[in-house]
Amino acid sequence: MNPTRVSFIRSSLCRHFERDPHCARPFEGLKIVDVGCGGGILSEPLARMGATVTGIDAVEKNIKIASIHAELDPRTSSIEYCCTTAEKLVEEQRKFDAVIALEVIEHVADPSGFCKSLSALTVPNGATVISTINRTMRSYATAIVAAEYILHWLPKGTHKWSSFFTPEELVLILQRASVSVREMAGFVYNPLTGEWSISDDTSVNFIAVGVKDSH
């Protein structure tokens, strides 16, 4: 799914920041934080596109793996990886042009507090990007039953269906955190080709791009 997500983020941030999506480094000069960066599968392409990237994760092991991998390429060795949380960065008064949290919100104990932290890290008129899983019967069948129990893509128990969000709920939570959602898309998996694509179908995986209020 990652290449599909990266291409969506690239085009939507280029639209928002009025950058040329066809140039090699469209994010030159932008500061971006990847919250819950894992092993760096999003942080690295963002750095290659010219962004100054900070990748944070609460799991020390993920940060170690990400750091080792980033050192292999001069274009990604500048990524700042930290074992920390969004809340800690807010305390440090850090600010970013774009704040991205992919597949994180469904795992946090306080989603509305988490969104407020993401908003606090975003500069006025900056972008806040969140991807998650919709709470539908289809997502239960695919994201839990198929992904965890049949295909073994994820460890069993990775997801709790009741922790998923509908797009409407996510829009509302972000609105309360001073972020207005401007764009939303779904990601759909084709089992015949084994490929993911961007779609209007948000019934399972979806992503929202919001803009932090300027006041």
Side-chain angles (χ1 to χ4, degrees):
M1 192 203 281
N2 198 54
T4 310
R5 280 196 310 215
V6 170
S7 81
F8 174 81
I9 289 167
R10 180 188 178 116
S11 56
S12 81
L13 291 186
C14 281
R15 269 193 297 280
H16 177 68
F17 292 107
E18 299 180 343
R19 300 297 179 94
D20 175 5
H22 306 296
C23 81
R25 293 168 66 84
F27 297 163
E28 197 83 65
L30 293 179
K31 284 169 67 178
I32 303 181
V33 63
D34 178 11
V35 177
C37 63
I41 60 169
L42 175 70
S43 293
E44 291 195 7
L46 293 173
R48 289 192 188 100
M49 286 186 258
T52 301
V53 181
T54 301
I56 67 166
D57 202 287
V59 180
E60 184 80 54
K61 191 176 87 172
N62 291 345
I63 292 297
K64 285 196 172 127
I65 292 166
S67 303
I68 290 165
H69 196 266
E71 288 302 327
L72 304 173
D73 181 343
R75 294 172 302 167
T76 57
S77 58
S78 62
I79 299 170
E80 176 199 0
Y81 282 118
C82 312
C83 182
T84 186
T85 61
E87 293 73 19
K88 292 245 175 68
L89 288 189
V90 174
E91 283 170 24
E92 293 166 22
Q93 300 187 327
R94 300 279 301 268
K95 295 279 182 191
F96 300 88
D97 300 298
V99 174
I100 305 177
L102 303 186
E103 315 292 319
V104 182
I105 191 170
E106 66 270 23
H107 301 291
V108 301
D110 173 13
S112 63
F114 178 68
C115 285
K116 286 190 174 120
S117 293
L118 299 183
S119 171
L121 292 173
T122 313
V123 299
N125 293 320
T128 312
V129 182
I130 295 183
S131 74
T132 187
I133 302 170
N134 200 341
R135 196 174 62 256
T136 56
M137 287 321 295
R138 206 167 136 211
S139 75
Y140 183 78
T142 54
I144 296 181
V145 177
E148 295 182 18
Y149 292 85
I150 299 170
L151 300 168
H152 304 295
W153 283 352
L154 298 164
K156 289 173 185 161
T158 297
H159 290 119
K160 214 165 105 202
W161 188 73
S162 60
S163 302
F164 292 165
F165 289 87
T166 66
E168 295 76 18
E169 287 166 345
L170 186 63
V171 166
L172 203 59
I173 287 177
L174 285 168
Q175 219 164 22
R176 289 182 186 140
S178 307
V179 174
S180 315
V181 173
R182 300 281 169 88
E183 212 178 334
M184 197 175 273
F187 296 114
V188 175
Y189 179 69
N190 181 336
L192 300 175
T193 61
E195 289 181 355
W196 289 87
S197 58
I198 296 163
S199 161
D200 292 337
D201 179 357
T202 56
S203 65
V204 184
N205 297 81
F206 70 98
I207 189 164
V209 181
V211 176
K212 164 85 174 273
D213 295 349
S214 56
H215 53 269

